mmCIF file of all heavy atoms in Angstrom:
data_model
loop_
_atom_site.group_PDB
_atom_site.id
_atom_site.type_symbol
_atom_site.label_atom_id
_atom_site.label_comp_id
_atom_site.label_asym_id
_atom_site.label_seq_id
_atom_site.Cartn_x
_atom_site.Cartn_y
_atom_site.Cartn_z
ATOM 1 N N ARG A 1126 11.312 7.093 3.644
ATOM 2 C CA ARG A 1126 12.099 5.893 3.401
ATOM 3 C C ARG A 1126 11.437 4.954 2.397
ATOM 4 O O ARG A 1126 12.118 4.216 1.684
ATOM 5 C CB ARG A 1126 12.360 5.159 4.717
ATOM 6 C CG ARG A 1126 13.303 5.909 5.641
ATOM 7 C CD ARG A 1126 13.599 5.104 6.891
ATOM 8 N NE ARG A 1126 14.251 3.842 6.582
ATOM 9 C CZ ARG A 1126 14.518 2.892 7.491
ATOM 10 N NH1 ARG A 1126 14.184 3.095 8.759
ATOM 11 N NH2 ARG A 1126 15.092 1.771 7.143
ATOM 12 N N SER A 1127 10.127 4.968 2.357
ATOM 13 C CA SER A 1127 9.410 4.075 1.450
ATOM 14 C C SER A 1127 9.128 4.702 0.093
ATOM 15 O O SER A 1127 8.872 3.981 -0.882
ATOM 16 C CB SER A 1127 8.081 3.650 2.080
ATOM 17 O OG SER A 1127 7.211 4.767 2.218
ATOM 18 N N GLY A 1128 9.144 6.043 0.038
ATOM 19 C CA GLY A 1128 8.768 6.718 -1.191
ATOM 20 C C GLY A 1128 7.272 6.749 -1.428
ATOM 21 O O GLY A 1128 6.817 7.045 -2.536
ATOM 22 N N VAL A 1129 6.489 6.453 -0.385
ATOM 23 C CA VAL A 1129 5.033 6.431 -0.480
ATOM 24 C C VAL A 1129 4.489 7.662 0.234
ATOM 25 O O VAL A 1129 4.893 7.964 1.364
ATOM 26 C CB VAL A 1129 4.447 5.149 0.154
ATOM 27 C CG1 VAL A 1129 2.923 5.140 0.054
ATOM 28 C CG2 VAL A 1129 5.037 3.911 -0.515
ATOM 29 N N ALA A 1130 3.586 8.357 -0.399
ATOM 30 C CA ALA A 1130 3.028 9.582 0.176
ATOM 31 C C ALA A 1130 2.319 9.287 1.497
ATOM 32 O O ALA A 1130 1.731 8.208 1.681
ATOM 33 C CB ALA A 1130 2.049 10.229 -0.799
ATOM 34 N N THR A 1131 2.364 10.260 2.408
ATOM 35 C CA THR A 1131 1.719 10.051 3.711
ATOM 36 C C THR A 1131 0.224 9.803 3.564
ATOM 37 O O THR A 1131 -0.348 8.994 4.302
ATOM 38 C CB THR A 1131 1.953 11.264 4.633
ATOM 39 O OG1 THR A 1131 1.474 12.457 3.979
ATOM 40 C CG2 THR A 1131 3.432 11.426 4.950
ATOM 41 N N ALA A 1132 -0.422 10.476 2.623
ATOM 42 C CA ALA A 1132 -1.861 10.264 2.421
ATOM 43 C C ALA A 1132 -2.142 8.826 2.002
ATOM 44 O O ALA A 1132 -3.132 8.224 2.441
ATOM 45 C CB ALA A 1132 -2.394 11.240 1.374
ATOM 46 N N THR A 1133 -1.258 8.259 1.176
ATOM 47 C CA THR A 1133 -1.431 6.863 0.744
ATOM 48 C C THR A 1133 -1.209 5.912 1.900
ATOM 49 O O THR A 1133 -1.942 4.924 2.059
ATOM 50 C CB THR A 1133 -0.456 6.542 -0.405
ATOM 51 O OG1 THR A 1133 -0.687 7.454 -1.484
ATOM 52 C CG2 THR A 1133 -0.645 5.123 -0.901
ATOM 53 N N ILE A 1134 -0.202 6.178 2.726
ATOM 54 C CA ILE A 1134 0.051 5.334 3.900
ATOM 55 C C ILE A 1134 -1.158 5.356 4.831
ATOM 56 O O ILE A 1134 -1.585 4.316 5.343
ATOM 57 C CB ILE A 1134 1.324 5.790 4.640
ATOM 58 C CG1 ILE A 1134 2.556 5.623 3.746
ATOM 59 C CG2 ILE A 1134 1.496 5.000 5.943
ATOM 60 C CD1 ILE A 1134 3.828 6.181 4.343
ATOM 61 N N LYS A 1135 -1.730 6.541 5.050
ATOM 62 C CA LYS A 1135 -2.915 6.637 5.909
ATOM 63 C C LYS A 1135 -4.075 5.828 5.321
ATOM 64 O O LYS A 1135 -4.831 5.181 6.054
ATOM 65 C CB LYS A 1135 -3.324 8.099 6.069
ATOM 66 C CG LYS A 1135 -2.359 8.911 6.931
ATOM 67 C CD LYS A 1135 -2.796 10.373 7.006
ATOM 68 C CE LYS A 1135 -1.841 11.194 7.856
ATOM 69 N NZ LYS A 1135 -2.233 12.627 7.913
ATOM 70 N N TYR A 1136 -4.191 5.844 4.002
ATOM 71 C CA TYR A 1136 -5.237 5.056 3.338
ATOM 72 C C TYR A 1136 -4.997 3.564 3.573
ATOM 73 O O TYR A 1136 -5.930 2.820 3.900
ATOM 74 C CB TYR A 1136 -5.252 5.371 1.847
ATOM 75 C CG TYR A 1136 -6.125 4.461 1.024
ATOM 76 C CD1 TYR A 1136 -7.514 4.485 1.161
ATOM 77 C CD2 TYR A 1136 -5.574 3.569 0.105
ATOM 78 C CE1 TYR A 1136 -8.320 3.646 0.403
ATOM 79 C CE2 TYR A 1136 -6.365 2.740 -0.652
ATOM 80 C CZ TYR A 1136 -7.733 2.776 -0.498
ATOM 81 O OH TYR A 1136 -8.526 1.937 -1.238
ATOM 82 N N TYR A 1137 -3.762 3.110 3.424
ATOM 83 C CA TYR A 1137 -3.441 1.701 3.662
ATOM 84 C C TYR A 1137 -3.728 1.315 5.118
ATOM 85 O O TYR A 1137 -4.193 0.198 5.395
ATOM 86 C CB TYR A 1137 -1.978 1.420 3.333
ATOM 87 C CG TYR A 1137 -1.618 1.508 1.872
ATOM 88 C CD1 TYR A 1137 -0.290 1.635 1.473
ATOM 89 C CD2 TYR A 1137 -2.595 1.465 0.874
ATOM 90 C CE1 TYR A 1137 0.059 1.709 0.134
ATOM 91 C CE2 TYR A 1137 -2.254 1.543 -0.467
ATOM 92 C CZ TYR A 1137 -0.924 1.669 -0.833
ATOM 93 O OH TYR A 1137 -0.579 1.741 -2.149
ATOM 94 N N LEU A 1138 -3.448 2.218 6.041
ATOM 95 C CA LEU A 1138 -3.738 1.949 7.450
ATOM 96 C C LEU A 1138 -5.243 1.800 7.665
ATOM 97 O O LEU A 1138 -5.698 0.879 8.358
ATOM 98 C CB LEU A 1138 -3.186 3.073 8.327
ATOM 99 C CG LEU A 1138 -1.657 3.110 8.503
ATOM 100 C CD1 LEU A 1138 -1.218 4.461 9.051
ATOM 101 C CD2 LEU A 1138 -1.195 1.981 9.423
ATOM 102 N N ARG A 1139 -6.033 2.692 7.054
ATOM 103 C CA ARG A 1139 -7.494 2.609 7.196
ATOM 104 C C ARG A 1139 -8.041 1.328 6.593
ATOM 105 O O ARG A 1139 -8.998 0.741 7.117
ATOM 106 C CB ARG A 1139 -8.158 3.817 6.520
ATOM 107 C CG ARG A 1139 -7.976 5.138 7.240
ATOM 108 C CD ARG A 1139 -8.963 6.181 6.736
ATOM 109 N NE ARG A 1139 -8.865 6.405 5.304
ATOM 110 C CZ ARG A 1139 -8.042 7.276 4.729
ATOM 111 N NH1 ARG A 1139 -7.245 8.019 5.496
ATOM 112 N NH2 ARG A 1139 -8.020 7.437 3.416
ATOM 113 N N GLU A 1140 -7.414 0.884 5.501
ATOM 114 C CA GLU A 1140 -7.898 -0.310 4.811
ATOM 115 C C GLU A 1140 -7.376 -1.610 5.423
ATOM 116 O O GLU A 1140 -7.711 -2.696 4.960
ATOM 117 C CB GLU A 1140 -7.497 -0.250 3.329
ATOM 118 C CG GLU A 1140 -8.218 0.817 2.535
ATOM 119 C CD GLU A 1140 -9.716 0.554 2.463
ATOM 120 O OE1 GLU A 1140 -10.108 -0.606 2.300
ATOM 121 O OE2 GLU A 1140 -10.497 1.523 2.568
ATOM 122 N N GLY A 1141 -6.543 -1.491 6.449
ATOM 123 C CA GLY A 1141 -6.027 -2.680 7.117
ATOM 124 C C GLY A 1141 -4.896 -3.370 6.389
ATOM 125 O O GLY A 1141 -4.573 -4.528 6.684
ATOM 126 N N LEU A 1142 -4.258 -2.697 5.436
ATOM 127 C CA LEU A 1142 -3.123 -3.290 4.723
ATOM 128 C C LEU A 1142 -1.834 -3.162 5.515
ATOM 129 O O LEU A 1142 -0.884 -3.925 5.290
ATOM 130 C CB LEU A 1142 -2.945 -2.615 3.358
ATOM 131 C CG LEU A 1142 -4.163 -2.591 2.436
ATOM 132 C CD1 LEU A 1142 -3.784 -2.025 1.076
ATOM 133 C CD2 LEU A 1142 -4.781 -3.962 2.301
ATOM 134 N N LEU A 1143 -1.803 -2.200 6.424
ATOM 135 C CA LEU A 1143 -0.671 -2.024 7.338
ATOM 136 C C LEU A 1143 -1.184 -2.121 8.765
ATOM 137 O O LEU A 1143 -2.266 -1.595 9.069
ATOM 138 C CB LEU A 1143 -0.021 -0.647 7.155
ATOM 139 C CG LEU A 1143 0.807 -0.383 5.903
ATOM 140 C CD1 LEU A 1143 1.255 1.069 5.890
ATOM 141 C CD2 LEU A 1143 2.003 -1.309 5.848
ATOM 142 N N PRO A 1144 -0.438 -2.763 9.664
ATOM 143 C CA PRO A 1144 -0.848 -2.759 11.060
ATOM 144 C C PRO A 1144 -0.693 -1.369 11.656
ATOM 145 O O PRO A 1144 0.167 -0.589 11.200
ATOM 146 C CB PRO A 1144 0.126 -3.752 11.718
ATOM 147 C CG PRO A 1144 1.320 -3.757 10.830
ATOM 148 C CD PRO A 1144 0.812 -3.522 9.434
#
Side-chain angles (χ1 to χ4, degrees):
R1126 291 184 61 186
S1127 66
V1129 180
T1131 56
T1133 302
I1134 297 174
K1135 289 178 180 179
Y1136 170 68
Y1137 292 162
L1138 287 164
R1139 288 196 303 272
E1140 291 296 320
L1142 306 186
L1143 288 176

